[in-house]
Amino acid sequence: MRTEKKNHRPLIREVPAAVGMMSVVIESGGSLDSAVREVASKGPENIGKAFSAIVHDADVRACPDIRSGLRSATSALPKELAFFRRSVNMLMAASEMSPGPEKTRILKDASDISINGLKETGEAYGASLSNPCMVIFGLGIMVPMILMSILPILQIGGMFGESIGLGPVVVTTLVAVPACVLCVTISIRRKDPFATARGDMEWGPITPLIASLPLALIAWNLTADIVQTFVFSTVPACALTLAVLHPSQKRERKRADVERFLKDSVFELGNRLISGDNFENAAAGALETRSETSLAADLFKKEMALCRGDGHSAIISALGEVSPEVTDAFCEVYDASQRDIREAGRLAISIGRQMQDREAVEKGISNKLKSVFDMMTATAAVFAPMVLGLSVAMLRPLSEISEAADLTGTSAVTALYLAELCALMAFLTAAQRGGCGVRNIVYRFSMMLPVSMAVFCACMSFAL
């Protein structure tokens, strides 16, 4: 499989889907060649590209056949993907067997191995986050706190002789610390097998944040205070950004909820087909069982009435925008129903079971990781501004005691640093909240920064 070692992690999340697709094709009577070609044309992005290379090599006779190419490719996989290799070997064995309980059992075992491998990988990743998170906590809070509070106290005692001024504090707080936190964040993201490989790169969502520039000019003319200018310009801009992005975020959450119920409907579709219903009635009935998918059911029935026998186009029109995965599953079952209704029902049940198992594993992993990333969000939005705000509050009376501790720009530096910290944590946690695209990062940043500024200003006010 033509993947460098550094690029193997994006494959991990895709393994159960790819194995499930191959299992479905083989279980419905297809060959190993057709299963590999199915994944190459319709499968997950990264494994699909790798399987396309296998198909290409077999077609141009660079390797004897697809089976040999698949065996050679999987043998080169790293240890993190050993469960994928075992699943593929079982699929190759099942493809040579006659239909029967033994073949069904082996196909089920192959799917179970892929799902358990994903689960173990997720648990290992979650366990590996403790040290990086402690590093982020130490760098993001303790180092700035030392610079803001302990350093001035040491200056009062004459430890540094002359005052070191604000310059080193600015460089350390706004450049060195964020750079280190960014390196740790990138390391966490690169090791994350569940982060979205790519997200939208549309820079339009940052447009509302540009409103902070004219607001900053107005606030500066009114207050001539850097911290107040920063707060009064960024908080309204973030509120405007949230107002602009919230509808699309709400639509995406609703789409994800409907997709989850659509996956459940695949299993129900299989039960109805086995009982003897034709595909159109079975699919409509399966979609109508839940209120969340009732709109999809109505659209499906309308499209089936207008499609003139082209069931694929009706399915794609009704379900394609909500879930490409469920759309492909319905199309597979539709093709099988043209040959044998009850065989199509068994195929739908198999696909539905695989979807449910994979969904349960990914949900369990997400729940385990949620606490870690929630802690990172809370650190940026609440804990860091609280500690640093109190540190700045302590610095004010110290500045009056000793001219050596006169760091009057500390509060402004701290406010800018908190904005950087919110941006870094938004980047880190965006993938666990629906994707690593610009839209999700900006949305999370716009939620955290106003809270952070409110906590910071409230804690600083204790010194007034």
Side-chain angles (χ1 to χ4, degrees), residues 151-165 402-405:
L151 185 60
I153 295 176
L154 295 178
Q155 287 184 226
I156 292 176
M159 177 170 290
F160 299 105
E162 297 181 358
S163 173
I164 63 174
S402 172
E403 293 182 358

Side-chain angles (χ1 to χ4, degrees), residues 126 135 149 219 243 460:
V135 170
S149 58
M460 277 203 312

Side-chain angles (χ1 to χ4, degrees), residues 126-153:
S128 70
L129 290 179
S130 57
N131 289 336
C133 288
M134 289 302 297
V135 170
I136 291 177
F137 181 84
L139 289 174
I141 296 181
M142 300 307 297
V143 173
M145 184 187 72
I146 291 172
L147 291 174
M148 302 305 166
S149 58
I150 299 179
L151 185 60
I153 295 176

Side-chain angles (χ1 to χ4, degrees), residues 54-233:
I54 295 172
V55 171
H56 176 268
D57 289 346
D59 289 343
V60 301
R61 296 295 184 266
C63 64
D65 52 34
I66 286 182
R67 180 179 292 271
S68 299
L70 184 61
R71 184 179 292 112
S72 176
T74 54
S75 65
L77 291 173
K79 63 180 182 179
E80 289 86 351
L81 285 166
F83 67 97
F84 186 25
R85 181 168 55 248
R86 292 194 296 270
S87 296
V88 169
N89 288 336
M90 297 187 73
L91 291 172
M92 289 193 289
S95 67
E96 298 293 327
M97 301 175 65
S98 301
E102 184 66 16
K103 180 177 182 178
T104 301
R105 184 186 64 80
I106 292 179
L107 291 174
K108 183 179 183 301
D109 289 344
S111 297
D112 291 343
I113 288 174
S114 67
I115 292 173
N116 290 333
L118 180 69
K119 181 179 180 181
E120 292 173 2
T121 301
E123 291 175 348
Y125 172 69
S128 70
L129 290 179
S130 57
N131 289 336
C133 288
M134 289 302 297
V135 170
I136 291 177
F137 181 84
L139 289 174
I141 296 181
M142 300 307 297
V143 173
M145 184 187 72
I146 291 172
L147 291 174
M148 302 305 166
S149 58
I150 299 179
L151 185 60
I153 295 176
L154 295 178
Q155 287 184 226
I156 292 176
M159 177 170 290
F160 299 105
E162 297 181 358
S163 173
I164 63 174
L166 190 61
V169 175
V170 172
V171 173
T172 304
T173 305
L174 298 184
V175 180
V177 172
C180 294
V181 173
L182 178 61
C183 291
V184 177
T185 299
I186 292 175
S187 175
I188 292 175
R189 286 294 309 277
R190 290 182 63 183
K191 294 178 181 179
D192 185 0
F194 307 102
T196 306
R198 64 176 61 177
D200 66 89
M201 295 304 294
E202 300 177 0
W203 295 96
I206 69 172
T207 303
L209 292 177
I210 300 176
S212 61
L213 298 179
L215 291 175
L217 294 176
I218 297 172
W220 176 255
N221 289 328
L222 293 176
T223 65
D225 183 272
I226 297 178
V227 175
Q228 293 183 20
T229 298
F230 184 77
V231 173
F232 291 146
S233 61

Side-chain angles (χ1 to χ4, degrees), residues 3 6 51 69 137 195 203 350 411 434:
T3 56
K6 66 178 182 179
F51 276 38
F137 181 84
W203 295 96
S350 176
S411 57

Side-chain angles (χ1 to χ4, degrees), residues 10-23:
L11 302 177
I12 294 176
R13 186 176 186 175
E14 300 175 351
V15 168
V19 171
M21 291 180 68
M22 296 178 68
S23 177

Side-chain angles (χ1 to χ4, degrees), residues 252-294:
E252 174 58 24
R253 288 193 295 268
K254 184 177 180 180
R255 185 209 61 80
D257 291 339
V258 174
E259 182 182 30
R260 185 172 66 254
F261 291 116
L262 283 178
K263 290 179 179 179
D264 294 337
S265 70
V266 177
F267 200 92
E268 177 65 21
L269 171 64
N271 290 333
R272 290 174 180 269
L273 289 173
I274 288 178
S275 66
D277 285 352
N278 60 42
F279 178 82
E280 181 177 351
N281 292 336
L287 294 173
E288 288 175 335
T289 54
R290 291 183 177 272
S291 60
E292 292 82 0
T293 58
S294 59

